[in-house]
Amino acid sequence: QVKLVESGGGSVQSGGSLRLSCAASGDTRGNWVMGWFRQALGKEREGVATIGMSNNPSYVDSVKGRFTLSQNRATVTVSLQMNNLRPDDTAIYYCAFDTYYSSASTSNVPYYSYWGQGTQVTVSS
């Protein structure tokens, strides 16, 4: 079992910045992938940024150039720096974890077995 603890989030005005962090504990051995996903009201959950052993983050097109995902594989943590936030970034953000067969990562929502409790990000115009 793996437990995920998220921190960060909150409310900002358009153009502002926030930082999300997620720490995994428990059975975190092996080649793992982690990432941040979000779910806006009335929409499906989508992958925002994911990262694996290759340390090459993958981003959804809408956040490229604004969000930066980093990881610490020794402490099994990931952090998402979100800059130039827009109102359409408003959503509940979830951290996810699982083991993976490749050094890359995946944004496939059903793939992930472990999820954090979610943290609200609200961007006002």
Side-chain angles (χ1 to χ4, degrees):
Q1 294 298 315
V2 174
K3 179 181 179 181
L4 301 177
V5 177
E6 302 160 339
S7 60
S11 298
V12 295
Q13 291 190 329
S14 183
S17 297
L18 287 171
R19 185 176 181 87
L20 305 180
S21 294
C22 177
S25 61
D27 188 5
T28 58
R29 298 171 293 173
N31 179 24
W32 50 264
V33 291
M34 288 182 73
W36 285 95
F37 295 73
R38 66 187 180 187
Q39 188 164 15
L41 193 63
K43 295 187 177 181
E44 294 187 351
R45 190 171 299 189
E46 68 169 352
V48 175
T50 59
I51 194 166
M53 185 175 287
S54 68
N55 204 31
N56 183 25
S58 177
Y59 301 96
V60 68
D61 286 345
S62 62
V63 308
K64 287 180 180 177
R66 301 188 297 122
F67 290 12
T68 301
L69 181 65
S70 59
Q71 66 176 343
N72 184 322
R73 296 193 73 84
T75 59
V76 198
T77 57
V78 293
S79 294
L80 183 67
Q81 178 65 40
M82 305 185 293
N83 297 328
N84 194 20
L85 282 160
R86 309 184 311 211
D88 59 356
D89 294 316
T90 295
I92 299 175
Y93 284 68
Y94 297 90
C95 177
F97 173 100
D98 214 312
T99 55
Y100 200 50
Y101 67 91
S102 166
S103 62
S105 62
T106 177
S107 61
N108 184 17
V109 172
Y111 182 85
Y112 289 85
S113 300
Y114 301 101
W115 294 85
Q117 77 280 5
T119 184
Q120 178 71 46
V121 171
T122 302
V123 185
S124 58
S125 57

